[in-house]
Amino acid sequence: MLSAIDQTKDLTTMSALIKTAKAKDLFDLMDNVTVFTPNDAAFAKLPEEQRKALGTQAGASDLLRRLIVVRDLRKTDLADKSHTSLQGAVLKATGGGDEYRIGGAQVVCGSIRTANARLAVLDQVPASG
């Protein structure tokens, strides 16, 4: 999963976040998880104060754990359901067909299968609750 994130041009901020959180081992050890991955434009939309907090190990780790669901979620698993993240946050999924949202964020590219995970690229950092 890490190599897929590292090799995707539009996920450089997510890659940096994983390094800041020192979460490489966490990502390497996981299997059959879904990672809701905001793209670079999504991170750029965050207020400066939030982006600054993500520059710390604690802030980066907290967000990463909020973006990971310990379950391999396919598109059909996203239709109007809620999923609990590794951090314990509830991520509400809405939509159907080709239009899905996670915590209000649009899934711009979903169901990307990697060796040990499934990625869903989002257009904003999702809200929990």
Side-chain angles (χ1 to χ4, degrees), residues 95-109:
D98 288 332
E99 300 272 332
Y100 291 96
R101 292 190 170 276
I102 305 297
Q106 180 74 39
V107 177
V108 294
C109 186

Side-chain angles (χ1 to χ4, degrees), residues 37-48:
T37 310
N39 60 24
D40 290 344
F43 283 108
K45 293 176 189 176
L46 292 175
E48 178 64 31

